[in-house]
């Protein structure tokens, strides 16, 4: 009786730690402690689960020990692999790591559903229906996240599209639903085994087919959506298993993922249906590009302009992460600040490859949190800023989003860097952004390009400021 009380209480304690940890993650200042707190909650509830071993009859323990041994092996393998990957992953590969880890959560939920169906322990039609729904969502999240990982990791370069694809996907989804319903109706009979197997196969295949046509630029939104799916699947399977910790954790993750998905879609001025079912970027190649020539300057000239400016706003983008130049950037910023320049960082909600990507990148370099501003908080400041320095960003500073209704990014909120008195853009080449459209900002009179790898360019800028001496 005491063990049952401890196990039941562990779910409530873990849920409280999950919620507190999630709340702490909303601020960069407390994010690390929030992650650690939520981790303690998970460790606590997993450890309490093993106490059930002492709550069974002695005769049943030898058989149960086999399952316990398998669980321990799985935990060790999972902890060792994810711990190693978490410590060694490059910042540029963080989005795809999140995608694959999230997929593992969806796959786990689907596996729990499969075990529940095979155990013949369903108590009602409601439990069976919830199990099937959880399995469907978990399977979609699992295979969909794998495709998202492959796209972000560069293993799948282009979306896979063909005529009648939406009709095919809709038919496949309806087939999965029909097979799930057949599994419920024939549960516990030999005739229900084959529909159950086909159901899981159709659900897994639908997750692949649903994700294949979506372009790489939309993968951050897709990852967030699948994160919500995983949370929902875990919550449903927690209900089936009567596990409060799984239910609450699943609901928290599902709701957080849903809100994040909505916020990201809003930041891109796209509806979720547009992300999932439109061929984003297909019109970009036919759109009329800006006319004129790009002006370019040496890194030393750009550095000198910023050294003698009163205010500078830096817009980091994915190119900064690719070059791994965040440390060199902060070295340059500290030199400007020491010479009396007011320096701020402007972060777009979808900068990089996932929300918070740039925040984490700057935090890794030691940039103080009070120098980092969200788009809504800093956009009005560009008009009175001497210099805007854009590093590897493109679509999030493209003024075409405000003026050209034919552009695929029209209506997307942007950082108003184009309003600054002088704009410098560090970019490896003159190519387009992730959306495939050219940026007219680069052709404006107040914009100068500094071509080259961000790491190399910033190193030269640091040397140039050093040569100028202190104020």
């Amino acid at each position: 009786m005491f063990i049952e009380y401890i196990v039941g209480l562990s779910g409530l304690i873990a849920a409280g730690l999950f919620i507190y940890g999630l709340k702490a993650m909303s601020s960069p200042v407390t994010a690390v402690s929030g992650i650690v707190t939520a981790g303690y909650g998970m460790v606590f509830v997993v450890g309490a689960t093993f106490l059930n071993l002492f709550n069974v009859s002695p005769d049943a323990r030898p058989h149960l020990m086999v399952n316990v041994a398998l669980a321990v092996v799985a935990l060790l393998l999972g902890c060792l692999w994810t711990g190693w990957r978490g410590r060694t992953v490059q910042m540029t590969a963080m989005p795809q790591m999140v995608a694959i880890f999230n997929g593992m959560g969806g796959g786990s939920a689907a596996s729990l559903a499969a075990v529940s169906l095979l155990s013949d322990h369903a108590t009602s039609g409601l439990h069976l229906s919830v199990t099937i729904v959880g399995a469907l969502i978990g399977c979609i999240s699992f295979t969909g996240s794998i495709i998202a990982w492959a796209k972000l990791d560069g293993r799948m370069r282009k979306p896979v599209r063909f005529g009648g694809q939406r009709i095919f996907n809709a038919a496949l989804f309806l087939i999965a639903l029909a097979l799930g319903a057949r599994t419920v109706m024939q549960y516990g009979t030999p005739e229900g085994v084959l529909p159950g197997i086909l159901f899981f196969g159709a659900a897994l295949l639908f997750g692949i087919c649903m994700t294949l046509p979506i372009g790489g630029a939309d993968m951050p939104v897709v990852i967030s959506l699948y994160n919500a799916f995983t949370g929902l699947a875990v919550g449903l399977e927690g209900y089936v298993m009567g596990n409060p910790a799984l239910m609450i954790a699943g609901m928290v993750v599902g709701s957080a993922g849903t809100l994040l998905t909505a916020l990201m879609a809003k930041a891109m001025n796209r509806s979720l249906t547009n992300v999932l079912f439109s061929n984003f970027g297909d019109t970009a190649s036919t759109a009329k590009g800006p006319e004129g020539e790009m002006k370019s300057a040496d890194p030393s000239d750009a550095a000198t302009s910023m050294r003698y400016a009163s205010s500078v706003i830096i817009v980091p983008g994915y190119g900064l992460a690719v070059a791994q130049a965040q440390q060199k950037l902060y070295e340059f910023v500290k030199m400007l600040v020491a010479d009396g320049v007011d320096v701020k960082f402007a972060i777009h909600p979808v900068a990089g490859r996932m929300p918070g990507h740039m925040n984490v990148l700057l935090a890794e370099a030691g940039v103080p949190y009070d120098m980092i501003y969200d788009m809504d908080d800093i956009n009005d400041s560009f008009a009175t800023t001497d210099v805007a320095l854009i590093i590897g960003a493109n679509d999030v500073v493209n003024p075409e989003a405000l003026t050209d209704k034919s552009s695929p990014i029209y209506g997307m909120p942007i950082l108003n860097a184009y309003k600054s008195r002088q704009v410098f853009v560090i970019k490896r080449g003159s190519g387009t952004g992730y959306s495939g459209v050219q940026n007219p900002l680069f052709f404006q009179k107040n914009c100068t390009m500094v071509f080259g790898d961000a790491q190399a360019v910033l190193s030269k800028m640091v040397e140039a400021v050093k040569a100028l001496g202190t104020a």
Side-chain angles (χ1 to χ4, degrees):
M1 187 67 180
F2 178 74
I3 292 177
E4 292 179 355
Y5 175 77
I6 294 296
V7 173
L9 185 61
S10 68
L12 181 61
I13 295 174
L17 293 174
F18 292 156
I19 295 172
Y20 175 82
L22 184 64
K23 173 63 178 176
M25 290 178 210
S26 63
S27 169
V29 179
T30 56
V32 174
S33 64
I35 293 172
V36 173
T37 300
Y40 284 148
M42 182 59 68
V43 171
F44 182 67
V45 75
V46 170
T49 302
F50 281 96
L51 293 177
N52 283 318
L53 178 63
F54 302 100
N55 207 30
V56 298
S57 63
D59 294 337
R61 286 179 185 173
H63 174 72
L64 186 60
M65 286 301 296
V66 176
N67 292 335
V68 171
L70 291 173
V72 170
V73 171
L75 283 170
L76 288 175
L77 289 175
C79 290
L80 290 173
W81 181 66
T82 55
W84 170 71
R85 287 298 300 151
R87 288 183 176 276
T88 58
V89 66
Q90 295 294 328
M91 188 56 62
T92 50
M94 188 65 71
Q96 46 263 50
M97 189 188 76
V98 171
I100 199 69
F101 283 3
N102 177 67
M104 296 302 102
S108 298
S111 299
L112 285 174
V115 170
S116 179
L117 291 172
L118 290 172
S119 63
D120 292 335
H121 287 161
T123 57
S124 66
L126 176 62
H127 272 75
L128 271 176
S129 300
V130 171
T131 303
I132 288 294
V133 172
L136 175 64
I137 297 172
C139 287
I140 294 172
S141 178
F142 174 58
T143 52
S145 295
I146 292 176
I147 299 299
W149 164 80
K151 287 174 177 285
L152 288 169
D153 206 47
R155 298 169 188 265
M156 295 184 66
R157 298 291 181 181
K158 295 182 179 180
V160 178
R161 296 165 181 162
F162 54 86
Q165 189 170 28
R166 297 177 190 174
I167 297 175
F168 173 82
N169 288 351
L172 182 60
F173 181 70
L174 292 175
I175 290 171
L177 288 179
L179 288 169
R182 187 72 176 269
T183 303
V184 171
M185 290 185 291
Q186 295 183 330
Y187 178 70
T189 66
E191 292 78 12
V193 175
L194 181 58
I197 295 173
L198 294 176
F199 161 75
F200 277 95
L204 291 168
L205 180 60
F206 177 75
I208 295 173
C209 295
M210 175 182 171
T211 317
L212 283 176
I214 303 175
D218 287 327
M219 277 304 110
V221 182
V222 174
I223 291 173
S224 180
L225 176 65
Y226 286 152
N227 182 59
F229 279 8
T230 294
L232 180 58
V234 169
L236 291 173
E237 298 310 327
Y239 167 77
V240 171
M241 299 178 65
N243 189 311
L246 281 180
M247 283 190 284
I248 296 174
M251 287 187 287
V252 169
V253 172
S255 58
T258 301
L259 288 172
L260 182 59
T261 303
L263 289 172
M264 291 178 65
K266 181 180 178 181
M268 298 170 66
N269 194 40
R270 311 270 305 285
S271 67
L272 187 56
T273 55
N274 183 263
V275 170
L276 297 177
F277 305 118
S278 73
N279 294 340
F280 179 68
D282 278 1
T283 60
S285 59
T286 60
K288 184 179 179 181
E291 298 179 354
E293 295 183 0
M294 296 182 184
K295 296 179 296 181
S296 63
D298 293 330
S300 58
D301 293 334
T304 301
S305 296
M306 283 179 273
R307 161 65 178 74
Y308 292 108
S310 297
S311 56
V312 173
I313 297 180
I314 299 174
V315 180
Y318 188 64
L320 177 68
V322 171
Q324 299 182 36
Q326 60 271 25
Q327 301 287 350
K328 187 60 66 175
L329 172 62
Y330 188 42
E331 181 182 351
F332 177 65
V333 167
K334 286 188 290 186
M335 295 174 67
L336 294 181
V337 172
D339 287 328
V341 182
D342 178 30
V343 182
K344 296 182 176 69
F345 289 84
I347 307 296
H348 192 279
V350 293
R353 291 296 182 267
M354 63 185 299
H357 196 177
M358 292 299 104
N359 301 74
V360 174
L361 191 75
L362 297 177
E364 185 181 55
V367 177
Y369 301 126
D370 58 4
M371 294 182 69
I372 303 173
Y373 293 81
D374 292 332
M375 178 178 66
D376 293 338
D377 298 326
I378 201 171
N379 244 356
D380 292 339
S381 301
F382 280 105
T384 57
T385 296
D386 291 332
V387 179
L389 174 62
I390 301 170
I391 308 175
N394 197 323
D395 297 327
V396 298
V397 292
N398 191 336
E400 190 177 80
L402 305 176
T403 59
D404 188 356
K405 293 184 178 181
S406 66
S407 172
I409 63 171
Y410 176 72
M412 183 180 81
I414 65 165
L415 289 164
N416 295 330
Y418 72 97
K419 292 184 177 181
S420 302
R421 297 186 180 95
Q422 173 65 49
V423 180
F424 289 107
V425 181
I426 298 177
K427 204 169 181 291
R428 285 179 293 180
S430 57
T432 60
Y434 214 15
S435 66
V437 297
Q438 185 59 271
N439 191 340
L441 166 64
F442 303 156
F443 299 85
Q444 287 186 184
K445 292 181 179 180
N446 65 334
C447 182
T448 303
M449 309 297 293
V450 185
F451 291 114
D453 176 81
Q455 179 78 249
V457 169
L458 287 167
S459 296
K460 293 178 181 179
M461 291 170 68
V462 167
E463 294 303 318
V465 173
K466 286 181 178 178
L468 293 173
T470 58

